[in-house]
Amino acid sequence: MFPVMILIDPQLGRNIGNTARAMLNCGLQELRLVRPPLNWLNENTRALSAGADIVLDNAQCFENVESATADLHRLYATTARHRDMVQEVMTPRHFAKTVTPLYQSGQRIGVLFGPEKCGLENDDLGRVKGVIKIPVNPEFSSFNLSQAVLILAYEIFLASSLNDSRESHLNHGNSDLAKKEEVDGFLDQLLDELDKAGYLRPEHKKSIMQRNLRNIFSRIDMTSQEVRTLRGVVSSLVNPNGIFSRPRRRPR
Amino acid sequence: MFPVMILIDPQLGRNIGNTARAMLNCGLQELRLVRPPLNWLNENTRALSAGADIVLDNAQCFENVESATADLHRLYATTARHRDMVQEVMTPRHFAKTVTPLYQSGQRIGVLFGPEKCGLENDDLGRVKGVIKIPVNPEFSSFNLSQAVLILAYEIFLASSLNDSRESHLNHGNSDLAKKEEVDGFLDQLLDELDKAGYLRPEHKKSIMQRNLRNIFSRIDMTSQEVRTLRGVVSSLVNPNGIFSRPRRRPR
């Protein structure tokens, strides 16, 4: 299935309508919204979608990014700004070429888009495998939200029909590539243990330290087994020879 | 200079605002409007342009396609539909690669966009060198006008910075490639003479015959000298050994 477009804190219903139209123009149908406006699905939204009801009616709403991305294997984010975070930065075209063989072989891919005015927060950027930077006039770089979605959807649509993308293959089985919820579970465990251990101090640097750690592990493709192994590593470090040294499932 | 975006009979000010923003995002500044709504430059248009005032304030308005394209060397059109006209159909990417070395060496390029609801008329399509077809989901193919402009502007912007497009060169001097007004002048002369000669009959097929003739000559790259030669050919055919057998400048 095509990648999922995920709008975080979208502020305007019209942008959601335009986004739905742009997505369906390019064959994409799966839209997720994190904290959209209460009345986002109104007549104006529908009018601007120009008939892309299948996208609007199936759009899923979430309270946070974590839950919106739990079932995905790989997460990317769009941003126009340079950040100081250590991350792969790619063009929409490179992104599309990279993920096409992945989603065509069953992986679920998601792309995060920040709110209209301020873009994504660093904490969200710390959750992703890589950052997509849309090439833009440096003197007028603020993209409309639905226009940014269109560029991504367009490149995905084009890459899906190019032979070269189908000719590339992953050189490992992907059936057990870890989902984001597994990685998040491990990270929660790790950060929790680090917090208890007094590592995340001083307090005002805590969130940055957490983000940087999330960022490191979000950039790796891990299998479920590898995540379980890491959980076991943390558990056994914290509790050597203890009854909790075997990995536990994260409570749902 | 980057290609010119030409909106024919745009119906909604908001599409013009969104178009100006999308253009400037990609570094394009030259917008032309053929028969826009009277009040097109209103507050809403400006708000949606998000600061792309340089595009809106310099936009030129025209009463017809001929005058809007008179100073251009090459004209292309966007369309989502298949037509029965004999024309090169290309992707936005191919278009961008093709025209980048041309406008970088001084040719003026224009792209026609039809009105929101119905697209371009065949008569306008008959004036162009080639047709650009944006790849789209065949089951949901109606692109928003500003989204269509964005796709073209994005591909132009990308191609402008790619080395391979700069590496390609034209293998003939372009300084005297004919402008559209020169070609139009020749075509006006030709059609006028054909009409007088009774060739364009029956009357109800006249416009189709005219369009098909325009189409043929619009697909050729001609130099100014070649156009003058053709004018001479027509003149001398019509008036053998006459005083008008030498090419005249078209009255301005």
Side-chain angles (χ1 to χ4, degrees):
Chain A
M1 282 196 287
F2 275 127
V4 182
M5 303 287 110
I6 305 161
L7 309 189
I8 301 175
D9 293 310
Q11 291 150 21
L12 302 167
R14 67 173 155 84
N15 280 336
I16 300 174
N18 287 331
T19 292
R21 180 177 185 177
M23 285 176 60
L24 197 55
N25 278 152
C26 300
L28 277 65
Q29 296 196 11
E30 215 171 331
L31 176 63
R32 297 183 183 180
L33 306 170
V34 177
R35 298 177 296 262
L38 278 180
N39 62 341
W40 69 272
L41 190 48
N42 53 44
E43 278 184 22
N44 189 39
T45 306
R46 284 208 189 272
L48 288 169
S49 83
D53 297 293
I54 191 171
V55 177
L56 294 176
D57 291 332
N58 293 321
Q60 292 179 284
C61 296
F62 298 88
E63 290 190 2
N64 54 52
V65 176
E66 193 180 357
S67 57
T69 59
D71 62 325
L72 306 178
H73 296 99
R74 273 203 193 205
L75 197 57
Y76 293 84
T78 56
T79 179
R81 276 171 281 177
H82 282 290
R83 318 266 183 156
D84 54 2
M85 225 175 286
V86 183
Q87 275 176 323
E88 187 186 2
V89 177
M90 62 192 78
T91 63
R93 194 159 298 171
H94 181 84
F95 158 77
K97 278 186 189 163
T98 302
V99 301
T100 298
L102 303 182
Y103 76 74
Q104 287 180 345
S105 66
Q107 284 188 38
R108 299 304 330 270
I109 313 285
V111 183
L112 301 181
F113 296 82
E116 288 88 342
K117 290 201 179 162
C118 46
L120 286 171
E121 293 183 12
N122 281 346
D123 280 352
D124 295 329
L125 288 173
R127 296 179 170 278
V128 302
K129 163 87 177 153
V131 166
I132 307 160
K133 194 163 181 298
I134 300 178
V136 68
N137 175 2
E139 293 169 12
F140 191 75
S141 62
S142 167
F143 251 90
N144 170 268
L145 177 58
S146 68
Q147 303 275 48
V149 174
L150 172 64
I151 295 292
L152 270 287
Y154 168 73
E155 291 286 3
I156 291 165
F157 184 63
L158 281 191
S160 73
S161 55
L162 289 178
N163 285 328
D164 61 349
S165 65
R166 293 190 192 233
E167 282 166 8
S168 80
H169 294 287
L170 291 176
N171 58 5
H172 63 89
N174 295 301
S175 57
D176 63 349
L177 195 75
K179 296 183 179 181
K180 285 298 282 183
E181 65 185 341
E182 296 171 78
V183 179
D184 280 341
F186 156 68
L187 283 166
D188 289 347
Q189 176 204 18
L190 174 65
L191 294 172
D192 186 46
E193 294 295 356
L194 288 175
D195 201 18
K196 280 194 252 172
Y199 174 86
L200 299 175
R201 289 179 194 162
E203 188 66 23
H204 69 276
K205 290 199 174 169
K206 185 171 172 178
S207 66
I208 293 180
M209 294 168 81
Q210 287 175 322
R211 179 202 307 156
N212 290 345
L213 280 167
R214 275 194 190 278
N215 184 21
I216 292 167
F217 289 99
S218 296
R219 297 206 312 275
I220 323 172
D221 277 327
M222 289 193 284
T223 64
S224 300
Q225 179 56 53
E226 288 169 328
V227 175
R228 285 195 295 273
T229 300
L230 285 179
R231 292 190 68 127
V233 167
V234 173
S235 298
S236 72
L237 288 176
V238 170
N239 195 6
N241 305 310
I243 55 169
F244 297 134
S245 64
R246 286 179 54 210
R248 289 170 297 164
R249 287 287 296 170
R250 183 185 173 212
R252 300 296 295 266
Chain B
M1 282 197 288
F2 275 129
V4 182
M5 303 286 108
I6 306 160
L7 309 188
I8 301 175
D9 293 311
Q11 291 151 22
L12 302 168
R14 67 173 155 83
N15 280 336
I16 300 174
N18 287 330
T19 291
R21 179 178 186 176
M23 285 175 61
L24 197 55
N25 278 152
C26 300
L28 277 66
Q29 296 196 10
E30 216 171 331
L31 177 64
R32 297 183 184 180
L33 306 170
V34 177
R35 297 177 296 261
L38 278 181
N39 62 341
W40 70 272
L41 189 48
N42 53 43
E43 279 184 23
N44 190 38
T45 306
R46 284 209 189 271
L48 288 168
S49 82
D53 297 293
I54 192 170
V55 177
L56 294 176
D57 291 331
N58 293 320
Q60 291 178 284
C61 295
F62 297 88
E63 290 190 0
N64 54 52
V65 176
E66 192 179 359
S67 56
T69 59
D71 62 324
L72 305 179
H73 297 99
R74 274 204 193 203
L75 197 57
Y76 293 83
T78 55
T79 179
R81 275 171 281 178
H82 282 289
R83 319 266 182 153
D84 53 2
M85 226 173 287
V86 183
Q87 275 174 323
E88 187 187 1
V89 178
M90 62 193 77
T91 63
R93 193 159 298 173
H94 182 84
F95 158 78
K97 277 186 190 165
T98 302
V99 300
T100 297
L102 303 180
Y103 76 74
Q104 286 180 346
S105 65
Q107 284 188 40
R108 302 301 332 268
I109 313 286
V111 184
L112 301 180
F113 296 83
E116 288 88 342
K117 289 201 178 157
C118 47
L120 287 169
E121 294 184 9
N122 282 345
D123 279 353
D124 296 327
L125 288 173
R127 297 177 169 278
V128 302
K129 165 84 176 155
V131 166
I132 306 161
K133 194 163 181 298
I134 299 178
V136 68
N137 174 3
E139 293 171 12
F140 190 75
S141 63
S142 167
F143 251 90
N144 170 269
L145 177 56
S146 68
Q147 304 274 46
V149 174
L150 172 65
I151 294 292
L152 270 287
Y154 167 74
E155 290 286 4
I156 290 166
F157 184 64
L158 281 191
S160 73
S161 56
L162 289 178
N163 285 328
D164 62 347
S165 64
R166 294 191 190 230
E167 281 166 9
S168 78
H169 294 286
L170 292 176
N171 58 6
H172 63 90
N174 297 301
S175 57
D176 63 347
L177 196 76
K179 295 182 179 181
K180 285 298 281 183
E181 65 185 343
E182 297 170 77
V183 180
D184 280 341
F186 156 68
L187 284 166
D188 289 347
Q189 176 203 21
L190 175 65
L191 295 171
D192 185 47
E193 294 295 355
L194 289 174
D195 201 17
K196 280 193 253 173
Y199 173 86
L200 301 174
R201 290 179 194 161
E203 188 66 23
H204 69 275
K205 289 199 176 171
K206 185 171 172 177
S207 66
I208 292 179
M209 295 168 82
Q210 287 175 324
R211 178 202 308 157
N212 289 344
L213 280 166
R214 278 194 187 276
N215 183 22
I216 292 167
F217 289 98
S218 297
R219 297 206 312 275
I220 322 173
D221 275 327
M222 288 192 283
T223 64
S224 299
Q225 179 56 51
E226 288 169 329
V227 175
R228 285 195 296 272
T229 300
L230 286 179
R231 293 190 68 125
V233 167
V234 173
S235 297
S236 74
L237 289 176
V238 171
N239 195 7
N241 305 310
I243 55 166
F244 296 135
S245 63
R246 288 180 52 211
R248 288 169 298 164
R249 289 284 298 168
R250 183 185 175 213
R252 302 294 298 265

